[in-house]
């Protein structure tokens, strides 16, 4: 089984996670730019983070045979902080770089006017740079937030087939499906979406335009929940082609629209990490 985790924050994960992911069949990941827990206080802090997403993290992933790409944006949470907003002026320079396969994550956290503005400006950047958009939906008031997300995306003029609306659940899947946007589901260990609930959604709505991710970050999360969901699909009677479509072909098709997805050798992970000293620890 080959797995593409289209939303995971590897910056917050250990080298041991990479090792376990590679062993579980994860061959490619997309890491969306997000907040760091500790609030950033200036745009330079974003620049270092973006450089890390495009340099250090792909290198670290590569040691385990995992292809790493990123999406770049001012995240919805920090869009509310006047110290962070100037990063919007830095984005065009990053959006032209190899390894950037979408603008994201953008969208709403608390649905403030500042978030409205940052969201609209970054959808315009996606169009300008010919990139798809990865859109986060709020964890509170999700139905209203998702409706507003779809309205703002439609107003921007970006084609729905170039928008991935993420963190969906049973309440929001239908309207996103009707919109023509792609549907992302984040599988969590305890709260929100679980593998059995995901299987039920796939049974009802089918695998078309559906992506499944672990959204693993600094919180209670698990980078192997993609594999667990794939197994739950097989147990429920989905065939290997359906699983491959959701876990591999769909993310390849969506992010492939950037023209920058490089999956060369992703099916033959080289155990290079065994010979590498850089991640063995020490200083
Ligand atoms: Zn995220």
């Amino acid at each position: 089984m080959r797995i593409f985790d289209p939303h995971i924050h590897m910056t917050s994960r250990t080298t041991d996670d990479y090792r376990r992911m590679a062993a579980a069949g994860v061959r490619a990941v997309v890491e969306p730019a997000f907040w760091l827990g500790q609030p950033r206080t200036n745009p330079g802090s974003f620049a270092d983070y973006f450089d890390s997403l495009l340099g250090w993290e792909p290198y670290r992933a590569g040691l385990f045979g995992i292809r790493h790409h990123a999406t770049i944006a001012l995240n919805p949470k920090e869009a509310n902080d006047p110290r962070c907003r100037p990063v919007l002026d830095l984005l065009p320079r990053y959006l032209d770089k190899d390894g950037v396969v979408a603008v994201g994550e953008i969208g709403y956290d608390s649905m403030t006017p500042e978030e409205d503005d940052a969201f609209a400006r970054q959808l315009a950047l996606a169009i300008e740079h010919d990139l798809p958009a990865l859109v986060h939906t709020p964890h509170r008031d999700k139905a209203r937030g998702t409706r507003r997300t779809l309205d703002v995306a439609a107003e921007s003029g970006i084609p729905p087939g170039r928008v991935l609306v993420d963190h969906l659940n049973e309440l929001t899947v239908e309207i996103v499906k009707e919109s023509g946007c792609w549907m992302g589901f984040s599988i969590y260990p305890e709260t929100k979406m679980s593998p059995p609930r995901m299987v039920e959604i796939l049974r009802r709505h089918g695998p078309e335009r559906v992506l499944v991710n672990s959204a693993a970050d600094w919180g209670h999360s698990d980078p192997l929940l993609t594999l667990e969901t794939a197994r739950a699909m097989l147990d429920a009677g989905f065939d290997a082609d359906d699983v491959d479509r959701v876990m591999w072909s769909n993310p390849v098709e969506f992010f492939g629209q950037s023209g920058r997805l490089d999956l060369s050798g992703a099916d033959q992970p080289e155990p290079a990490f065994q010979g590498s000293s850089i991640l063995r620890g020490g200083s």
Side-chain angles (χ1 to χ4, degrees):
M1 192 183 306
R2 50 183 186 170
I3 295 173
F4 187 141
D5 191 334
H7 188 144
I8 184 163
H9 301 285
M10 292 311 299
T11 301
S12 64
R13 309 300 304 194
T14 64
T15 298
D16 207 42
D17 286 323
Y18 273 123
R19 190 194 314 274
R20 293 189 307 132
M21 288 161 65
V26 178
R27 302 279 175 263
V29 298
V30 165
E31 176 156 7
F34 202 49
W35 66 307
L36 285 179
Q38 182 70 27
R40 294 182 177 96
T41 58
N42 66 86
S45 183
F46 282 90
D48 290 341
Y49 172 65
F50 295 159
D51 287 337
S52 170
L53 292 187
L54 298 173
W56 173 245
E57 214 54 58
Y59 169 73
R60 208 160 73 104
L63 296 174
F64 298 87
I66 296 174
R67 295 293 171 274
H68 180 289
H69 297 81
T71 75
I72 295 291
L74 168 61
N75 63 81
K77 219 178 174 70
E78 287 179 312
N80 293 299
D81 190 332
R83 296 173 299 179
C84 296
R85 292 177 61 82
V87 75
L88 288 169
D89 299 325
L90 286 183
L91 293 179
R93 155 153 84 86
Y94 281 96
L95 296 179
D96 284 337
K97 290 187 190 279
D98 287 342
V100 177
V101 291
V103 175
E105 27 192 318
I106 51 177
Y108 290 114
D109 180 53
S110 309
M111 290 191 274
T112 63
E114 288 78 10
E115 291 172 27
D116 268 329
D117 177 63
F119 187 20
R121 279 177 67 182
Q122 294 184 96
L123 284 167
L125 282 175
I127 294 170
E128 208 174 297
H129 292 262
D130 206 16
L131 286 170
L134 170 61
V135 183
H136 166 101
T137 52
H139 295 297
R140 301 170 300 265
D141 208 357
K142 193 177 269 296
R144 191 166 71 91
T146 305
R147 269 195 303 277
R148 183 137 145 212
T149 296
L150 294 172
D151 288 346
V152 174
E155 275 168 32
S156 78
I158 192 170
R162 294 175 72 83
V163 178
L164 167 56
V165 186
D166 217 331
H167 313 313
L168 299 182
N169 62 19
E170 293 86 350
L171 297 176
T172 51
V173 56
E174 194 71 52
I175 51 169
V176 178
K177 188 180 181 186
E178 281 168 16
S179 75
C181 294
W182 293 68
M183 295 158 272
F185 295 86
S186 303
I187 314 300
Y188 300 97
E190 279 161 10
T191 54
K192 307 168 197 158
M193 189 58 56
S194 64
R197 281 170 60 189
M198 188 64 232
V199 166
E200 195 47 42
I201 285 175
L202 282 161
R203 223 200 295 262
R204 271 187 208 185
H205 296 280
E208 202 183 328
R209 283 187 282 125
V210 170
L211 280 71
V212 169
N213 62 68
S214 71
D217 59 13
W218 307 263
H220 186 31
S221 48
D222 180 351
L224 300 190
L225 283 176
T226 47
L227 175 63
E228 211 174 296
T229 303
R231 286 190 177 141
M233 283 180 73
L234 291 171
D235 289 347
F238 285 94
D239 64 22
D241 284 348
D242 291 328
V243 173
D244 192 64
R245 179 164 190 186
V246 172
M247 296 294 164
W248 187 264
S249 309
N250 282 351
V252 168
E253 192 182 329
F254 179 76
F255 289 108
Q257 296 182 91
S258 67
R260 296 189 191 147
L261 204 57
D262 175 10
L263 297 173
S264 50
D267 281 331
Q268 303 112 39
E270 67 272 29
F273 62 90
Q274 287 167 358
S276 166
S277 60
I278 194 160
L279 294 177
R280 257 189 222 141
S283 55

